[in-house]
Amino acid sequence: MRRETRSTCPYCGVGCGVLIEAEGGQITGVRGDPAHPANFGRLCSKGSTLHLTAAADITRQVRLLQPLQRTVRGGTAVPIAWDAALDLAADRFAQVIDTHGPDAVGFYLSGQLLTEDYYVFNKLAKGLIGTHNLDTNSRLCMSSAVAGYKQTLGADAPPTCYDDIGHADCLFIAGSNTAWAHPILFRRIEDAKRARPALKIVVVDPRRTETCEIADLHLAIRPGSDVMLFHGLLHLMLHEGWTTPDFIAAHTRGFEAVQALVRDCTPGRVAQVCGITPAELAQAARLFATSRATLSLYCMGLNQSSQGTAKNTALINLHLATAQIGRPGAGPFSLTGQPNAMGGREVGGLANLLPAHRELANPAHRAEVAAFWGLPAIRATPGRPAVELFQAAADGEVKALWMACTNPAQSMPDQATVRRALQRAEFVVLQEAFAGTATAAFADLLLPATSWGEKEGTVTNSERRISRVRAAVPAPGQARPDWAIAVALARRLATRLGRGAGLFPYETPEAVWNEHRDSTRGRDLDITGLSYALLEAAPRQWPLRAGETEGRARLYEDKHFATADGRAYFVAQPWQAPAEVPDAGFAFSLNTGRLRDQWHGMSRTGTLGRLFGHAGEPVVQMHPQDMADGRLTDGELVRVRSRRGSLVLPAAASADLGRGQAFIAMHWGAEMLGGSGPDGEAPAGVNTLTTAARCPVSRQPELKHAAVHIMKADLPWPLLALAWLPADTVLTVRARLRELAGSLPFVTCVPFGARDPALPHQGVLLRAAGHAPMPELLAPIEALLGLDGGDTLRYDDAGRGQHRRVRLQRHADKANPSAHVSALLLAGDTRAEGWLRTLLQDQLPAQDLGRRLLSFAAEAPAGVAARGRTVCNCLGVGEATIVQQLAGCSGSDDERLAALQHSQRCGTQCGSCLPELRRLVRCTPGLAAAA
């Protein structure tokens, strides 16, 4: 029987509600929940394909379905029973604790865990074991925003809500490509602009991202100059009399120090540091200060910096100076990167926190938690934040590591150190839903965890709204809920350590949540008025105290802030350059960020070929003039080198970047991008390059800034293979191909999907390059791709390293003489890739091309035209089709967009492609312009 279950999307921090359709124990569909206040039924390109990532064929290939143990490092992991696995883990952790003390173990968790999962782990580490070595990947995304809120407003609490977008007269978007990172929130921005064209939008970003398409003003500042920009804005506000002295006097402290600090941040100096004009600075200052209500939206561009906290406080200073806070449409709104980074912080899921926003460094808070948990005391010894935790493991100080729902061997900066940590630690446990992550290869013990559609609990989104996560189907294989795994470990450890026998009585996630709720009594996030029953009825915002019926949409409307004296604090922190600035040896500033259709390390989104249609392979983007100066062409391989490592990938020209800048998407890890380095080392994706330099306050690493050197990679032997494969083997084959080609200096291996989203086809693409032909690789690749049969066309020239294979697949109906290309392999000369790939992906008739399919010619046969990137994933509409349509349209930009959507229907489904459609409308001349 088909049934529908309300739950929450597991991707970004918008926290969209979803309705999961399931039948026969299998998820069969998903749609947006029209009743959920975060999205009102809308879903983005990722959320709308969630059900496809839960297909049985994918589950069998990529999920971790039983506990596994490696008895030898680097060896094959073999099955182990659950009780034996948990006993082993408890024995090893207890042994380390007894021998080396509690701080010789560490836990690294995830903003994708549920609040209940987090709470048990936090109590296990800080209550039972007595170590604060518990941190999460939220340290990589939100800790600077947390520190900024706490330093200025007194609490880790965004004071705004999504509805404020509809009330603002000015949106100030800084360091956030909202259009791609938070697509459904961006739909609200589009709605607000459509309803009120007078709404002004300022975007601050070194790159011209898709978010800029809706902006009235784009401040393309130099990387890392945000603090100087914000100080310069305040300088002008003071000069023009646009501040609010009455509010400053009555409700804040510290203004005089900030006023003195920004005195020297003149328009001329700001222009020099930031690379913008004084006129642009003045326009931004006027819009921010004089608009009736200004709402700032910000994300990783501010947070992932060695000056992350300073960037956050400098922006909040502007809100305090202009009284743009505590009323509809006004306030500083930090956008959460992960679905439950906020819920994790609520229960104390960082090394410096205790439950309910209590501080480890505060003796009174430690005493409160000890009393609440029934313990003699909570240790005062500080815990190690994420970067320091892995450095300690690399140095031999942390002996045992437990990681849950995260992939540090892909996502952490300075991968050389991270991998050294995972290799040196004596015992490594990975609690994970997906078996093929980069981190899984380092684990001594792998424990299968439930994932989206199988879990029960709660999450908190960016606007402090708590939503229920519900299971629609049973867990696959032997997978267990994360909280239950932690409870089982805790009970065993309590026995072995001889303490804490009654600390973990939980039998349901609701029991865990009830204890968490009780811990918040009297705190800024007090939810003692909430219950699972109320959350079953509807999501709720905190605080919601006992006796209240609704949570609070906005904070500080009474101008009383969460500080000891009720006043907000200005923070005076001077601008500093990033930890690494370009120089003669490393001339480019490398930025990292998101792709529209991918999520983090792609353990889930990377299973769907259709999500690679928009950005199918890793590239390093560079300014066209920088490429010309380096005599580089689009698609040419380059070696990108930082002070920590290097990797090879294709270069791509992009005028969206400034001179001297480079950009690589954050998602590309060793799972899909690899090869052997110049010294034989295996690159670990983009974070081979990034720096562990971090903000001194938040301890968040500077993932947005690394100085790199870029030069042409001399790899004259290219290899390209594509094939359609059965759905039940395609991902297994992809992983095997990636492993096979790993000895080459460059290799990327990704899935791809059919142009028509209605078709379930999945394919795999392998691209590699080497210094010389490696014929020994070709036969195994052919076998994996089905190119070793009698229906394959062949050409070989061993002397020149040329090798070509093309397989034609006849139509299933024997009366139909047509055939299409189903697999191909080109080695030595890949110039024909463009049209051969089109033949394969579009499944065009190829039976009449004969031996021409083995041609080296780059020129396509008649009737074979490449469609370019897929812009609209929902309907499979390609860039070439869109450009052709727009070239024949006349009228205003809005009229041409409407005509395009009427003709091709692109952008009429999830809307994720709308910003790019606007860009294409702007950049493609129409009939009127041509005339």
Side-chain angles (χ1 to χ4, degrees), residues 344-583:
R345 303 195 304 273
E346 291 165 8
V347 302
L350 287 174
N352 55 302
L353 298 180
L354 291 171
H357 286 179
R358 292 178 174 90
E359 296 289 332
L360 171 62
N362 186 321
H365 288 181
R366 294 198 302 273
E368 289 170 9
V369 173
F372 183 76
W373 281 345
L375 298 173
I378 296 292
R379 288 181 72 217
T381 306
R384 294 179 171 96
V387 172
E388 288 88 338
L389 178 64
F390 283 91
Q391 183 64 62
D395 293 341
E397 298 170 9
V398 169
K399 311 288 185 181
L401 281 170
W402 191 295
M403 298 164 290
C405 194
T406 188
N407 188 14
Q410 188 274 336
S411 59
M412 287 282 291
D414 186 11
Q415 276 293 306
T417 298
V418 172
R419 287 161 183 251
R420 192 165 67 251
L422 295 173
Q423 291 163 346
R424 186 167 184 183
E426 296 173 5
F427 190 60
V428 175
V429 180
L430 179 63
Q431 181 173 318
E432 175 62 88
F434 295 92
T437 68
T439 306
F442 295 90
D444 301 301
L445 187 64
L446 293 133
L447 302 178
T450 51
S451 186
W452 174 84
E454 308 150 7
K455 303 188 71 165
E456 292 279 345
T458 58
V459 292
T460 308
N461 73 357
S462 291
E463 62 169 355
R464 296 172 283 106
R465 190 178 299 276
I466 303 172
S467 297
R468 283 280 280 114
V469 173
R470 299 175 179 88
V473 294
Q478 299 178 38
R480 294 184 179 182
D482 289 285
W483 69 268
I485 298 172
V487 166
L489 171 69
R491 290 172 178 173
R492 285 168 166 80
L493 264 180
T495 300
R496 287 158 175 77
L497 297 177
R499 58 179 184 264
L503 284 178
F504 301 90
Y506 323 112
E507 299 297 333
T508 65
E510 183 176 4
V512 178
W513 188 87
N514 286 340
E515 184 172 309
H516 156 57
R517 174 195 61 194
D518 294 344
S519 76
T520 69
R521 189 178 305 277
R523 303 292 300 161
D524 66 289
L525 72 163
D526 192 326
I527 54 171
T528 51
L530 261 182
S531 65
Y532 254 41
L534 284 173
L535 289 173
E536 288 292 341
R540 312 281 175 145
Q541 287 177 284
W542 60 256
L544 201 162
R545 301 176 178 87
E548 297 175 342
T549 57
E550 289 295 333
R552 194 171 301 171
R554 296 175 190 86
L555 305 180
Y556 315 130
E557 290 182 294
D558 59 357
K559 307 301 184 288
H560 185 86
F561 295 92
T563 57
D565 61 5
R567 289 173 174 258
Y569 296 168
F570 284 92
V571 176
Q573 184 68 37
W575 169 75
Q576 294 181 18
E580 287 190 353
V581 295
D583 56 26

Side-chain angles (χ1 to χ4, degrees), residues 555-740:
L555 305 180
Y556 315 130
E557 290 182 294
D558 59 357
K559 307 301 184 288
H560 185 86
F561 295 92
T563 57
D565 61 5
R567 289 173 174 258
Y569 296 168
F570 284 92
V571 176
Q573 184 68 37
W575 169 75
Q576 294 181 18
E580 287 190 353
V581 295
D583 56 26
F586 299 90
F588 289 89
S589 175
L590 176 67
N591 186 4
T592 64
R594 297 188 185 276
L595 296 174
R596 188 190 73 186
D597 299 334
Q598 298 295 349
W599 171 251
H600 282 203
M602 302 191 287
S603 53
R604 180 184 294 277
T605 55
T607 64
L608 288 186
R610 64 182 287 181
L611 293 181
F612 288 77
H614 185 249
E617 300 176 57
V619 298
V620 54
Q621 292 182 346
M622 301 172 63
H623 189 277
Q625 189 58 54
D626 288 332
M627 289 187 62
D629 292 347
R631 298 183 179 180
L632 300 172
T633 58
D634 256 356
E636 191 166 7
L637 292 177
V638 296
R639 182 170 293 279
V640 184
R641 180 171 56 87
S642 75
R643 291 176 172 87
R644 290 154 294 281
S646 70
L647 72 161
V648 175
L649 69 175
S654 174
D656 298 332
L657 284 76
R659 295 291 307 274
Q661 298 177 28
F663 176 83
I664 304 175
M666 60 173 279
H667 314 285
W668 300 112
E671 297 88 340
M672 296 190 186
L673 172 64
S676 61
D679 298 320
E681 74 280 8
V686 62
N687 286 314
T688 299
L689 306 171
T690 53
T691 174
R694 50 210 175 271
C695 172
V697 179
S698 70
R699 314 307 293 171
Q700 181 162 356
E702 192 157 51
L703 289 161
K704 287 286 185 183
H705 303 287
V708 297
H709 175 76
I710 302 176
M711 64 178 295
K712 188 178 298 189
D714 184 19
L715 300 173
W717 189 69
L719 183 150
L720 174 75
L722 296 98
W724 294 113
L725 293 168
D728 59 352
T729 62
V730 60
L731 298 174
T732 302
V733 170
R734 190 209 66 79
R736 179 66 183 130
L737 285 170
R738 164 68 184 82
E739 181 183 350
L740 265 177

Side-chain angles (χ1 to χ4, degrees), residues 189-197 199-201 214 216:
I189 295 174
E190 292 170 329
D191 291 345
K193 185 71 169 177
R194 190 180 305 112
R196 295 182 296 114
L199 168 67
K200 298 300 181 184
I201 300 176
I214 204 170
D216 298 282

